[in-house]
Amino acid sequence: MKKLALLAAGCALSASAMAQTPTEAPRVSGLRSSTDYAPGTGSDSRNNGFGIKVGLNSAHVRGDEKKNYGDVGTYKNFHAGAYAQFGFNDKFSVQPEILYTRQGFEGSSAARNNTGTYFTRLDYVQVPVLLVYNFLDNVSVHVGPQVSLLTKVREGGQERKIADENDASGNPIYGYSYSSLDYGLAAGLEARVGPARVGGRYVAGFNDIIKDPTRAGTQAIDNIKNGAFQVYVGIGISN
């Protein structure tokens, strides 16, 4: 009887402990869930923090006057910078970035004082502000506006000023200048594994790259706009 009483008491204590402790699903090894990215922050979103990123550009031009350039091709170079991410919940967040990016295009134009094919390199400081939606736990779509400040221009390997320059006689050297500001739209996809991320996007500028009010028709060179495909890798410093 004494043994039976002790066994009954043990069962009762076990049942009481199980009733007071919530049952948890077994942990599946592998990728972390969205709520694992912000422990101890009071937020149920992994979409908080900041990090750095670097990637490649395949840049080109769009627009009505693209047809006035010969042998038009892409210009491949890099972009790099930093991002911050502010989560609203486990699905939505906003992600501003600041990037240094080299875009441009390949082509020839007699109206640009050069009949041979050469590269035009355009260096920008770019600031996209992206809305991020996690349609899967570790895959998201990014879309939003961006502004770009032109900092340097190189034509055929030679650096020139963004504005037109005058020669010793006061005559314009080039006859055209570049727009110092661009604005547009960026959209793409990103995948994450822990703090690491890899993604791709397309960025489209809406402002004309070149300002040249003097040429028209088949000589016009100003109605061209930036476009670029970007792929990148990044790492979260604080997630």
Short mmCIF file of all heavy atoms in Angstrom, two decimals, residues 68-69 108-115 118 173-176 210 212 214-216 218-222:
data_model
loop_
_atom_site.label_atom_id
_atom_site.label_comp_id
_atom_site.label_asym_id
_atom_site.label_seq_id
_atom_site.Cartn_x
_atom_site.Cartn_y
_atom_site.Cartn_z
N ASN A 68 20.17 57.09 -81.75
CA ASN A 68 21.14 57.98 -82.38
C ASN A 68 22.57 57.65 -81.99
O ASN A 68 23.50 58.31 -82.45
CB ASN A 68 20.84 59.43 -82.00
CG ASN A 68 19.53 59.91 -82.60
OD1 ASN A 68 19.02 59.32 -83.56
ND2 ASN A 68 18.97 60.98 -82.05
N TYR A 69 22.75 56.66 -81.15
CA TYR A 69 24.08 56.19 -80.78
C TYR A 69 24.40 54.91 -81.54
O TYR A 69 23.52 54.07 -81.75
CB TYR A 69 24.17 55.91 -79.27
CG TYR A 69 24.13 57.15 -78.42
CD1 TYR A 69 22.93 57.79 -78.12
CD2 TYR A 69 25.30 57.69 -77.90
CE1 TYR A 69 22.88 58.92 -77.33
CE2 TYR A 69 25.27 58.84 -77.11
CZ TYR A 69 24.06 59.44 -76.83
OH TYR A 69 24.03 60.56 -76.06
N SER A 108 28.85 55.01 -79.47
CA SER A 108 29.56 56.04 -80.24
C SER A 108 28.56 57.08 -80.69
O SER A 108 27.37 56.81 -80.87
CB SER A 108 30.24 55.42 -81.46
OG SER A 108 29.28 54.85 -82.34
N SER A 109 29.05 58.32 -80.85
CA SER A 109 28.20 59.41 -81.31
C SER A 109 29.07 60.53 -81.84
O SER A 109 29.90 61.09 -81.11
CB SER A 109 27.32 59.93 -80.17
OG SER A 109 26.63 61.09 -80.57
N ALA A 110 28.90 60.86 -83.12
CA ALA A 110 29.65 61.98 -83.70
C ALA A 110 29.28 63.29 -83.03
O ALA A 110 30.09 64.21 -82.90
CB ALA A 110 29.37 62.05 -85.20
N ALA A 111 28.04 63.39 -82.56
CA ALA A 111 27.59 64.61 -81.89
C ALA A 111 28.29 64.82 -80.56
O ALA A 111 28.30 65.93 -80.03
CB ALA A 111 26.08 64.57 -81.69
N ARG A 112 28.89 63.79 -80.02
CA ARG A 112 29.61 63.91 -78.74
C ARG A 112 31.11 64.02 -78.98
O ARG A 112 31.92 63.68 -78.12
CB ARG A 112 29.31 62.71 -77.85
CG ARG A 112 27.83 62.60 -77.46
CD ARG A 112 27.58 61.37 -76.62
NE ARG A 112 28.11 61.51 -75.27
CZ ARG A 112 28.31 60.50 -74.44
NH1 ARG A 112 28.05 59.26 -74.83
NH2 ARG A 112 28.77 60.70 -73.24
N ASN A 113 31.49 64.49 -80.15
CA ASN A 113 32.90 64.79 -80.48
C ASN A 113 33.76 63.54 -80.49
O ASN A 113 34.98 63.61 -80.26
CB ASN A 113 33.49 65.81 -79.48
CG ASN A 113 32.66 67.07 -79.38
OD1 ASN A 113 32.16 67.57 -80.38
ND2 ASN A 113 32.49 67.58 -78.17
N ASN A 114 33.15 62.40 -80.75
CA ASN A 114 33.93 61.17 -80.79
C ASN A 114 33.16 60.17 -81.66
O ASN A 114 32.04 59.80 -81.34
CB ASN A 114 34.12 60.60 -79.38
CG ASN A 114 35.18 59.52 -79.34
OD1 ASN A 114 35.29 58.71 -80.25
ND2 ASN A 114 35.97 59.52 -78.27
N THR A 115 33.76 59.72 -82.75
CA THR A 115 33.08 58.80 -83.66
C THR A 115 33.35 57.34 -83.32
O THR A 115 32.67 56.46 -83.82
CB THR A 115 33.52 59.06 -85.11
OG1 THR A 115 34.96 58.96 -85.19
CG2 THR A 115 33.10 60.46 -85.56
N TYR A 118 33.18 53.99 -77.29
CA TYR A 118 33.89 54.15 -76.02
C TYR A 118 32.88 54.04 -74.88
O TYR A 118 31.67 54.08 -75.08
CB TYR A 118 34.62 55.50 -75.97
CG TYR A 118 33.72 56.70 -76.08
CD1 TYR A 118 33.30 57.39 -74.95
CD2 TYR A 118 33.31 57.16 -77.33
CE1 TYR A 118 32.48 58.49 -75.05
CE2 TYR A 118 32.49 58.25 -77.44
CZ TYR A 118 32.07 58.93 -76.30
OH TYR A 118 31.25 60.02 -76.41
N ILE A 173 33.55 73.54 -74.85
CA ILE A 173 34.40 72.44 -75.31
C ILE A 173 33.56 71.29 -75.82
O ILE A 173 33.83 70.72 -76.88
CB ILE A 173 35.32 71.97 -74.17
CG1 ILE A 173 36.28 73.09 -73.78
CG2 ILE A 173 36.10 70.71 -74.59
CD1 ILE A 173 37.16 72.74 -72.59
N TYR A 174 32.51 70.94 -75.08
CA TYR A 174 31.71 69.77 -75.41
C TYR A 174 30.38 70.13 -76.09
O TYR A 174 29.90 69.39 -76.93
CB TYR A 174 31.42 68.95 -74.15
CG TYR A 174 32.67 68.46 -73.47
CD1 TYR A 174 33.17 69.11 -72.34
CD2 TYR A 174 33.36 67.35 -73.94
CE1 TYR A 174 34.31 68.66 -71.71
CE2 TYR A 174 34.51 66.89 -73.33
CZ TYR A 174 34.98 67.56 -72.21
OH TYR A 174 36.12 67.12 -71.59
N GLY A 175 29.78 71.21 -75.69
CA GLY A 175 28.48 71.58 -76.24
C GLY A 175 27.32 70.93 -75.51
O GLY A 175 26.16 71.12 -75.90
N TYR A 176 27.58 70.16 -74.46
CA TYR A 176 26.52 69.53 -73.67
C TYR A 176 27.04 69.29 -72.25
O TYR A 176 28.25 69.29 -72.00
CB TYR A 176 26.06 68.20 -74.30
CG TYR A 176 27.15 67.17 -74.43
CD1 TYR A 176 27.37 66.24 -73.41
CD2 TYR A 176 28.00 67.14 -75.54
CE1 TYR A 176 28.37 65.29 -73.51
CE2 TYR A 176 29.01 66.20 -75.65
CZ TYR A 176 29.19 65.28 -74.64
OH TYR A 176 30.21 64.36 -74.73
N ILE A 210 21.88 63.39 -70.10
CA ILE A 210 22.58 64.49 -70.76
C ILE A 210 21.63 65.64 -71.02
O ILE A 210 20.48 65.44 -71.38
CB ILE A 210 23.22 64.00 -72.08
CG1 ILE A 210 24.33 62.98 -71.77
CG2 ILE A 210 23.77 65.16 -72.90
CD1 ILE A 210 24.93 62.34 -73.00
N ASP A 212 21.29 68.76 -73.47
CA ASP A 212 21.79 69.34 -74.71
C ASP A 212 20.62 69.91 -75.52
O ASP A 212 20.01 69.21 -76.32
CB ASP A 212 22.55 68.29 -75.53
CG ASP A 212 23.10 68.87 -76.83
OD1 ASP A 212 23.16 70.10 -76.95
OD2 ASP A 212 23.46 68.08 -77.72
N THR A 214 20.67 72.06 -77.91
CA THR A 214 21.02 72.62 -79.22
C THR A 214 20.83 71.63 -80.36
O THR A 214 20.64 72.03 -81.50
CB THR A 214 22.49 73.09 -79.22
OG1 THR A 214 23.35 71.96 -78.98
CG2 THR A 214 22.70 74.12 -78.12
N ARG A 215 20.89 70.31 -80.08
CA ARG A 215 20.81 69.32 -81.15
C ARG A 215 19.42 68.71 -81.19
O ARG A 215 18.77 68.53 -80.17
CB ARG A 215 21.86 68.23 -80.96
CG ARG A 215 23.30 68.73 -81.03
CD ARG A 215 24.27 67.58 -80.81
NE ARG A 215 25.65 67.99 -80.94
CZ ARG A 215 26.39 68.47 -79.94
NH1 ARG A 215 25.87 68.56 -78.73
NH2 ARG A 215 27.65 68.82 -80.14
N ALA A 216 18.98 68.37 -82.39
CA ALA A 216 17.65 67.78 -82.56
C ALA A 216 17.71 66.74 -83.67
O ALA A 216 18.73 66.58 -84.36
CB ALA A 216 16.62 68.86 -82.89
N THR A 218 18.20 63.46 -85.73
CA THR A 218 19.14 62.34 -85.65
C THR A 218 20.41 62.70 -84.89
O THR A 218 21.21 61.82 -84.58
CB THR A 218 19.51 61.85 -87.05
OG1 THR A 218 20.09 62.93 -87.79
CG2 THR A 218 18.28 61.33 -87.79
N GLN A 219 20.60 64.00 -84.60
CA GLN A 219 21.78 64.43 -83.85
C GLN A 219 21.50 64.54 -82.35
O GLN A 219 22.42 64.79 -81.57
CB GLN A 219 22.27 65.78 -84.37
CG GLN A 219 22.83 65.73 -85.79
CD GLN A 219 24.08 64.89 -85.87
OE1 GLN A 219 25.05 65.12 -85.11
NE2 GLN A 219 24.10 63.91 -86.75
N ALA A 220 20.24 64.39 -81.95
CA ALA A 220 19.89 64.54 -80.53
C ALA A 220 20.54 63.46 -79.68
O ALA A 220 20.58 62.28 -80.07
CB ALA A 220 18.38 64.49 -80.36
N ILE A 221 21.07 63.85 -78.54
CA ILE A 221 21.76 62.90 -77.66
C ILE A 221 21.28 62.99 -76.21
O ILE A 221 21.82 62.31 -75.33
CB ILE A 221 23.30 63.13 -77.67
CG1 ILE A 221 23.61 64.56 -77.18
CG2 ILE A 221 23.87 62.88 -79.05
CD1 ILE A 221 25.09 64.83 -77.01
N ASP A 222 20.25 63.80 -75.97
CA ASP A 222 19.90 64.09 -74.58
C ASP A 222 18.76 63.25 -74.02
O ASP A 222 18.61 63.16 -72.80
CB ASP A 222 19.57 65.57 -74.41
CG ASP A 222 18.49 66.05 -75.37
OD1 ASP A 222 18.21 65.34 -76.34
OD2 ASP A 222 17.94 67.14 -75.14
#
